[in-house]
Amino acid sequence: MQINVKPRFFKTSAAYLVLTITLLALTACDRLGVPDPARDAAIKEADSRATGSACRHAGRGIEDCYALNPDAARAAVYAGWKEMNDYMRENNIQEVKPEIGAKSAEKVATAEADQKTTEPDAKDAAEPKKEKSSDKKISKNTEKKTEH
């Protein structure tokens, strides 16, 4: 009488191996680029709460915070602003006034955007502009007319 242990052993170990590989692969799902709406919502809420806290610490009113951050979730901004307000009162923390006002920040942002659009690329600056053959003919014809 022979006992056939090998096939059963390989079947169970292969199943464990497949299960282990599958579980390890699923632990990195966030790196695969699979969208996770719950995770994205949690990130947006955390960012909005942080924005509200920062606005309160800077001494900005809640309405100003809404106006400066239109993409942030209003409820989370308010929750962050209120948490920071309570924390600052409990610990007697003074507001830190921003050195750059909202209007100054907008001016800086628009100036940077204008500079990027008007600034030629390094590649374009290094190469002189080439005239088209039709432009050369036109300029030669105008020179001849002006000489007479």
Side-chain angles (χ1 to χ4, degrees), residues 10 16 23 29-30 37 52 54 78 81 83-84 89 101 103 108 112 115 126 129 131 136 139 141 145:
F10 285 121
Y16 286 126
L23 290 175
C29 279
D30 59 336
Y78 176 73
W81 191 93
E83 284 177 10
M84 182 57 81
R89 284 186 184 197
K103 292 181 181 179
V108 169
E112 288 176 355
Q115 185 179 12
K129 291 185 179 180
E131 290 184 14
K136 289 179 183 178
S139 61
N141 289 338
K145 290 179 182 178

Side-chain angles (χ1 to χ4, degrees), residues 59-111:
R60 290 197 170 106
I62 191 71
E63 295 83 11
D64 294 339
C65 193
Y66 291 151
L68 291 172
N69 304 291
D71 294 336
R74 287 182 160 225
V77 169
Y78 176 73
W81 191 93
K82 190 172 186 305
E83 284 177 10
M84 182 57 81
N85 186 49
D86 295 342
Y87 180 79
M88 289 174 70
R89 284 186 184 197
E90 289 173 6
N91 296 309
N92 198 18
I93 297 173
Q94 298 298 316
E95 299 169 348
V96 177
K97 296 290 180 187
E99 294 180 18
I100 298 176
K103 292 181 181 179
S104 299
E106 289 175 8
K107 287 180 184 177
V108 169
T110 56

